Amino acid sequence: MAVTKPAPASRAPDTTPEPAPEALEPVSEAPASAPRTAPAPDSSGQSPQPPSQDGWHLNSPLALTLLMVLVICVQGPVRKALSAPVMQSWMTVFVAVVVQALPFLVFGVLLSAALAVFVPPAFFARALPSRPALAVPVAGMAGAMLPGCECASVPVAGALVRRGVTPAAALAFLLSAPAINPIVLTATAVAFPHNPEMVVGRFVASLLVACVMGWLWQRLGRTDWLRPPAHEPHEGGTRIEAFWSSVRHDVMHAGGFLVLGAMAAATLKAVAPASWLRTAASNPLVAILALAVLAVLLSICSEADAFVAASLTQFSMTAKLAFLVVGPMIDLKLFAMQAGTFGRAFALRFAPTTFVLAIVGAVLTGAVLL
């Protein structure tokens, strides 16, 4: 009987899926600069949302609304306080100073922004003499071409240094421009209608101090004390955008300092005892020093400081002239701008020297003209 061999059992087909070709490759870490992929959607098919930040966020509309609600709630006590004679006097002086100075401030800011943006700084470099000793007074007289406040003179002076103008001439321009330009002199004439010699005195004293400071820097200044800015003050965007940006900046800064100065003048006029003011005004030296220090602390824009000075009727004309000469050359905001533009080492040496020379120049000019 033939023995039949059993047929080999058929092997079941292998249903295990083969790994994808990508899985066979070694996994490499994504580079650090590779963008992160979006998070995988959850079971509902929607991507998870970032956690929401709860809480109050103070912004300008909310702050204004809260201020209005506060004023409405306390309108009774506020109305009663404003009806007091002291507050009536305070409001009269404050409104008078702001209303008289505001047109000159706005007009000066517009012209200052136009010159700072549309007139190339190289124009001043070509117009100055090559000899530094002669360039200083010419640059000082050129300050009359920038009818704006000291906020505009600092970046322009920095641009002059960067374009190759000798620092002595640029610093003379920085000091003279806020004080002898036509807008400031016109505002001074309006503030002192019966004292035209105040306009001449301000022009002469400011130009004298600016030239002396320029010559002193040429003689004693060191290059490592001065750090010129490394970029243009109005880079980026069109000239029209730079113009309106400069206008907004100067109006906010100069207008804010105008309001603060008017408030300080009104407070000094209405609150300070008359005996104190008479005591300070009766001593010529104390009066000059008091108004010089006051000019530094108030930091009023040069287009408006004449109206504040005219409201200080207790003080002499020489003391008022010191206020008008010191303020545009050195105050708190100018010290900060000079330190930010030219360096702290420059500001710490330049500001005290300017303060002393401005007082001396005002006293000498006042003794001759006033």
Side-chain angles (χ1 to χ4, degrees):
M1 183 173 65
V3 178
T4 61
K5 295 182 178 181
S10 61
R11 300 177 62 182
D14 189 4
T15 59
T16 303
E18 295 183 359
E22 293 80 357
L24 300 177
E25 299 177 358
V27 179
S28 60
E29 295 184 357
S33 60
R36 295 184 178 180
T37 58
D42 54 12
S43 57
S44 60
Q46 298 180 354
S47 299
Q49 299 295 330
S52 60
Q53 297 181 355
D54 298 328
W56 289 87
H57 299 281
L58 184 64
N59 49 30
S60 298
L62 180 58
L64 181 60
T65 303
L66 294 177
L67 179 61
M68 293 178 63
V69 172
L70 179 62
V71 171
I72 293 174
C73 294
V74 298
Q75 59 178 332
V78 170
R79 188 184 299 112
K80 184 178 179 180
L82 293 178
S83 62
V86 174
M87 290 304 302
Q88 293 291 330
S89 175
W90 189 93
M91 290 295 298
T92 301
V93 176
F94 173 76
V95 173
V97 172
V98 172
V99 170
Q100 286 182 334
L102 193 58
F104 296 96
L105 176 64
V106 174
F107 187 57
V109 165
L110 291 174
L111 288 180
S112 173
L115 289 178
V117 174
F118 296 107
V119 177
F123 167 79
F124 299 99
R126 292 193 300 266
L128 293 176
S130 57
R131 295 182 59 182
L134 295 179
V136 168
V138 174
M141 288 296 299
M145 301 178 61
L146 184 67
C149 65
E150 51 269 29
C151 299
S153 64
V154 174
V156 174
L160 292 177
V161 174
R162 188 174 53 252
R163 294 298 179 88
V165 176
T166 175
L171 296 179
F173 178 87
L174 181 149
L175 294 178
S176 66
I180 69 171
N181 67 72
I183 302 300
V184 172
L185 296 180
T186 303
T188 306
V190 174
F192 295 91
H194 304 295
N195 303 103
E197 64 273 10
M198 182 65 75
V199 181
V200 180
R202 182 172 195 175
F203 178 87
V204 172
S206 300
L207 183 60
L208 176 64
V209 174
C211 292
V212 171
M213 281 299 300
W215 286 324
L216 279 178
W217 182 266
Q218 178 191 354
R219 181 76 176 177
L220 305 175
R222 291 167 45 180
T223 56
D224 57 336
W225 291 348
L226 188 66
R227 185 198 65 196
H231 58 81
E232 295 287 343
H234 297 294
E235 285 184 346
T238 63
R239 289 189 175 184
I240 299 298
E241 294 175 350
F243 171 78
W244 287 116
S245 175
S246 177
V247 168
R248 288 192 299 268
H249 173 272
D250 289 349
V251 166
M252 293 299 296
H253 282 70
F257 287 113
L258 168 61
V259 172
L260 292 178
M263 292 174 62
T267 303
L268 184 65
K269 185 79 172 179
V271 177
S275 59
W276 292 6
L277 297 180
R278 284 194 301 266
T279 301
S282 61
N283 190 322
L285 181 59
V286 175
I288 293 172
L289 292 177
L291 289 193
V293 174
L294 189 65
V296 175
L297 297 179
L298 292 183
S299 302
I300 308 173
C301 183
S302 58
E303 284 108 350
D305 58 358
F307 299 96
V308 177
S311 66
L312 303 174
T313 56
Q314 297 89 345
F315 293 87
S316 64
M317 297 296 290
T318 302
K320 295 178 184 178
L321 180 61
F323 181 88
L324 298 179
V325 175
V326 171
M329 294 188 175
I330 179 60
D331 55 33
L332 296 181
K333 71 176 185 298
L334 262 180
F335 180 83
M337 293 180 65
Q338 292 172 3
T341 303
F342 299 109
R344 185 179 300 177
F346 167 82
L348 290 176
R349 294 170 174 84
F350 188 77
T353 308
T354 303
F355 179 77
V356 174
L357 283 181
I359 294 177
V360 174
V363 171
L364 295 177
T365 305
V368 175
L369 298 178
L370 303 179

